[in-house]
Amino acid sequence: MNIEKILHDLEKKNPGELEYLQAVREVLESIESVYNENPQFASVNIIDRIVEPDRIYTFKVSWVDDTGKVLVNRGYRVQFNNAIGPYKGGLRFHPSVNLSILKFLGFEQIFKNSLTTLPMGGAKGGSDFDPKGKSNGEIMRFCQAFMLELWKIIGPETDVPAGDIGVGGREIGFLYGMYKKLARENSGVLTGKGLNWGGSLIRPEATGFGTVYFANEMLKTKGESFEGKTVALSGFGNVAWGAALKATELGAKVVTISGPDGYVYDPDGISGEKIDYLLELRASNQDIVKPYTDEFPSAQFHPGKHPWEVPCDIALPCATQNELDKQDALNLINNNVLCVAEGANMPSTPEAVELFLEHKILFAPGKAVNAGGVATSGLEMSQNSMKLCWPLNEVDQRLHQIMSSIHEQCVTYGTGPDGYVDYVKGANVAGFLKVANAMLDQGVI
Ligand code: NDP
């Protein structure tokens, strides 16, 4: 495999799509040797076929704000690969959304979904709509207008979207309501649904819980655990709050949360009533920093800074892509970080990842660490198909098992001669092999 030539050709075809090219490079570098050892893959050109999405939809979303003004956003759905199951992946509503970001996320999703052991293909979608500061009515009207287009191309056996940045339980509710009205069916077409209408227990917390379960498996390889450790995490959204909750439950102290403007450091720990308070603020669409630091004076806000300068044992980047750069990685390494587990998708820049691997830090990529979210979505789909609702223990146990199995796959394919586990390589190779073999079995389509 000639990686530089493949990337050069891809860049010519997809100019300026930096995130997408970054994600493809990482996977190709990891799978190069396994690909070369298996000439059957090259014989049907798996690489060119796997880096190209099956199809991309873009559409106009017109909606009316509270003042009566008509606004237009762009909607997307990237159906990347369905070799092992229906397309599956979240919807992101954020002003930064563009095709490059959704292609990177959809590409990553192929391998992540493969790792979960469940039959799900890879997809991603969303819009450049900014939910910040919007009223409930505006969010509802936007979601309805978005679904007016999206419903034509999704379905419980074809493509099953879920949440991501800017899309939580409320948005899934509005999207699902409109889908049901248009399609005239009650089905598992979206995951992350409310508990009373087809949702699964644990789904809201699943990505964060899974992140901590995975990090715990990593720590176990060194005879360590969360007990008594200091945790720095970023963001405070769907993923971060679940991670904060579970890390605290396992005996750790979470000392940071962050937003695009900076981070909050609370040396007393962010747990219990503080987490509840933060959730209330988020639910009411308020900025969380100012009220939090007013309410809990032990906390300080560090504007324009990343939480990775705070000494910690465990770092959980849970906010967004490329939020942890080379300097952040150096700060963490100099402060003797033990484990870095990516709750977000591709939060570490390639230079930061290189440093973690070079220093043999326990480091694992988002596609393995945060796969608990989509795995629990897969469990939600199973429950919807069976018209059943599993009890909390059962879902949590299955999530736990899936995270352990993903960890095992990473160890199998990522352990080097010196015993160091390269989780990036392990996750990419394990995820790739399953999809590539399925593509091989199904012919050139
Ligand atoms: P949310 O929108 O719920 O939360 C994102 C959080 O990150 C918010 O607190 C946000 O702050 C903060 N944030 C946004 N941009 C930045 C930035 N540039 N620097 C620092 N903080 C920032 O999203 P999710 O929790 O759903 O998703 C977070 C990450 O996890 C994403 O990479 C997503 O793809 C990934 N992921 C999510 C899954 C899920 O189940 N939701 C599943 C698997 C992966 P503010 O609100 O102030 O903007």
Side-chain angles (χ1 to χ4, degrees), residues 92-94 104-105 109 112 124 132 162-168 203-204 206-208 234-241 257-262 282 286-289 305-307 317-323 342-347 366 370-374 377:
R92 177 176 290 193
F93 291 169
H94 193 271
F104 122 63
L105 290 164
Q109 198 80 42
K112 181 190 308 196
K124 203 79 189 186
K132 255 200 187 143
D164 190 76
I165 291 181
V167 179
R203 178 58 189 97
T207 312
S234 58
F236 194 76
N238 299 320
V239 180
W241 80 267
I257 53 168
S258 74
D261 310 333
R282 265 190 76 78
Q286 283 183 61
D287 175 35
I288 58 176
V289 171
K305 296 269 181 80
H306 295 168
C318 295
T320 193
Q321 64 274 357
N322 293 327
E323 53 151 319
E342 295 186 334
N345 285 314
M346 211 166 74
N370 68 35
V374 72
S377 278

Side-chain angles (χ1 to χ4, degrees), residues 305-316:
K305 296 269 181 80
H306 295 168
W308 319 122
E309 60 185 20
V310 172
C312 65
D313 305 303
I314 299 164
L316 303 176

Side-chain angles (χ1 to χ4, degrees), residues 195 242 246 301 372 427 443:
L195 270 185
K246 188 52 82 176
F301 179 55

